[in-house]
Amino acid sequence: MIPIYFIADTHFSDKNIMRYENRPFKSIEEMNQELIYRWNCTVKKNDMVYVLGDFGADKNESFILNQLNGKKYLLKGNHDNYDNQYYRDAGFTEVYDTPIILNEFWILSHKPMYVNQNMPYANIFGHVHNSPIFHTYSNQHYCVSVERINYTPISMHEIIKKVQT
């Protein structure tokens, strides 16, 4: 089985995100290099990665994507403003405008979605970064904003382990 990973809110080359989210990097270059390094230490060439929105800025997506391991899928976030073909041409295998359901159970979305204990779904999302309003995970959701996952893609296996405890 091919490993599946998730990550959201990388905001590659976004100079404002370091200040907004108190990211521990001295420069955009350092942030980009560290995100790429952590990604590639985790994700192998044939793994799948779902980027749950807000991938990058400054139209440098193809430069960044060419350095990242894995087969990459983008579920667009509120900062992914170009048309879907732009992102495919940059290197994403597929691009989605709306939430998708993975394995008949996991709702993948950029923004958190409403799920409750009477629903047969769990939500993997981003968007909220380090907002204290949202917990990182429960038995029906998991936030994969980079600030919550040590700036490193997290595997489906690890998410399942955490939400089942």
Side-chain angles (χ1 to χ4, degrees):
M1 179 180 261
I2 297 172
I4 300 173
Y5 291 89
F6 301 91
I7 194 166
D9 306 304
T10 49
H11 289 271
F12 282 104
S13 301
D14 184 344
K15 64 182 176 187
N16 294 319
I17 200 68
M18 291 189 339
R19 182 171 37 95
Y20 295 156
E21 296 300 328
N22 296 311
R23 289 191 175 177
F25 308 107
K26 294 182 176 100
S27 67
I28 291 298
E29 294 76 23
E30 180 186 342
M31 180 180 78
N32 286 353
Q33 289 172 0
E34 189 63 23
L35 286 168
I36 292 166
Y37 173 77
R38 291 180 189 206
W39 180 304
N40 288 337
C41 284
T42 303
V43 176
K44 304 304 175 228
K45 182 181 176 185
N46 294 317
D47 295 347
M48 295 174 63
V49 182
Y50 284 91
V51 177
L52 302 185
D54 296 352
F55 179 74
D58 298 335
K59 282 203 162 194
N60 70 343
E61 281 85 355
S62 60
F63 175 73
I64 298 288
L65 280 164
N66 287 330
Q67 297 178 64
L68 297 172
N69 289 338
K71 191 172 182 181
K72 298 160 284 289
Y73 298 83
L74 175 64
L75 200 144
K76 288 168 70 175
N78 55 304
H79 291 280
D80 300 312
N81 298 318
Y82 305 114
D83 66 52
N84 292 1
Q85 192 58 49
Y86 166 80
Y87 292 106
R88 286 185 201 103
D89 292 343
F92 282 102
T93 299
E94 190 51 83
V95 182
Y96 306 93
D97 291 311
T98 58
I100 60 171
I101 297 178
L102 181 66
N103 298 339
E104 300 179 7
F105 179 74
W106 300 97
I107 301 172
L108 308 183
S109 61
H110 176 59
K111 294 180 180 179
M113 298 189 67
Y114 174 74
V115 291
N116 68 45
Q117 62 187 2
N118 299 316
M119 298 171 77
Y121 300 106
N123 182 210
I124 301 174
F125 61 90
H127 184 66
V128 299
H129 294 270
N130 258 337
S131 172
I133 296 170
F134 294 89
H135 296 287
T136 299
Y137 65 92
S138 74
N139 61 353
Q140 283 195 277
H141 80 266
Y142 203 104
C143 179
V144 296
S145 291
V146 294
E147 293 85 4
R148 295 177 186 245
I149 58 172
N150 197 30
Y151 303 93
T152 307
I154 186 168
S155 72
M156 173 67 90
H157 176 74
E158 176 120 2
I159 290 173
I160 290 169
K161 270 185 9 188
K162 289 201 175 182
V163 299
Q164 289 179 341
T165 58

